[in-house]
Amino acid sequence: MTSIRHNDGVLDAARDCVLAYGVRRTTLTDVARRAGVSRMTIYRRWPDVRTLVADLMTREWVRVVEELDMSDPVRAVVEGVRGLRSHPLWRKIVEADPELLLPYLLDRRGASHEAILEVLERAVGDAGRARAVLLVAQSFLLSAPTMLGPVTMDELDGELTALLEAYLG
């Protein structure tokens, strides 16, 4: 999936800035400087940091999903949750700027959701099931850390596997 605003150099620079400063402290000027382009180049494509970070998140999350072997959807979903959970950008956003995720949890699907749903629909053969699987995976991605003790993350991932195996057969 390629955004009309796709530019790997700028997105790489944005990733570096977010990892270094967090989203709130990153400016388009910082990104332009790090990317070696003018501020106007950035502003022509992205009106603000949040839009740029949204494109960055889409690129990064879709990369994780594209690396999965969807021939076994259960294993792929669990590996995808683990991959996102350990992704440096995901970790930084969850730790420093979690409010950035709220619109995608409460109000609307993002481009990442659409790309992941497309992959899941092909893998499970049904739009409704794909959405249910994404909702379950999303809850394990976001909320599993709150459920640790006395169980471990690996044990919770085992429960996710059991849930998905039962649901998907």
Side-chain angles (χ1 to χ4, degrees):
M1 154 180 281
T2 301
S3 165
I4 58 170
R5 296 180 298 247
H6 184 79
N7 179 316
D8 276 328
V10 171
L11 293 174
D12 290 345
R15 182 196 57 227
D16 293 346
C17 288
V18 170
L19 290 175
Y21 315 125
V23 174
R24 279 178 286 197
R25 292 182 46 216
T26 294
T27 67
L28 292 180
T29 301
D30 296 331
V31 175
R33 186 177 302 119
R34 194 172 288 240
V37 299
S38 73
R39 285 185 309 155
M40 284 313 299
T41 297
I42 304 284
Y43 281 109
R44 276 189 212 105
R45 296 177 183 201
W46 294 278
D48 54 40
V49 169
R50 286 192 182 263
T51 306
L52 175 56
V53 171
D55 279 359
L56 172 62
M57 289 189 305
T58 297
R59 183 188 75 170
E60 296 296 312
W61 310 161
V62 169
R63 281 182 175 173
V64 170
V65 172
E66 286 175 340
E67 294 175 1
L68 300 172
D69 175 5
M70 294 306 292
S71 65
D72 181 348
V74 171
R75 181 180 300 137
V77 169
V78 174
E79 286 176 10
V81 168
R82 285 181 176 153
L84 285 169
R85 195 186 289 139
S86 65
H87 193 288
L89 183 65
W90 175 265
R91 295 174 62 83
K92 182 67 172 189
I93 289 171
V94 168
E95 291 167 9
D97 301 291
E99 70 282 353
L100 214 75
L101 301 172
L102 282 176
Y104 306 107
L105 299 174
L106 302 174
D107 298 326
R108 63 184 178 85
R109 288 194 308 253
S112 306
H113 286 115
E114 295 298 342
I116 293 167
L117 283 171
E118 186 178 311
V119 169
L120 284 173
E121 285 177 27
R122 283 195 309 270
V124 303
D126 180 77
R129 280 183 176 254
R131 281 153 177 74
V133 168
L134 180 54
L135 285 169
V136 169
Q138 189 170 273
S139 71
F140 272 76
L141 173 63
L142 290 164
S143 299
T146 68
M147 296 295 133
L148 297 178
V151 299
T152 66
M153 192 65 77
D154 285 340
E155 290 170 324
L156 285 175
D157 288 345
E159 294 300 321
L160 174 58
T161 300
L163 281 169
L164 292 173
E165 285 174 346
Y167 183 63
L168 296 174

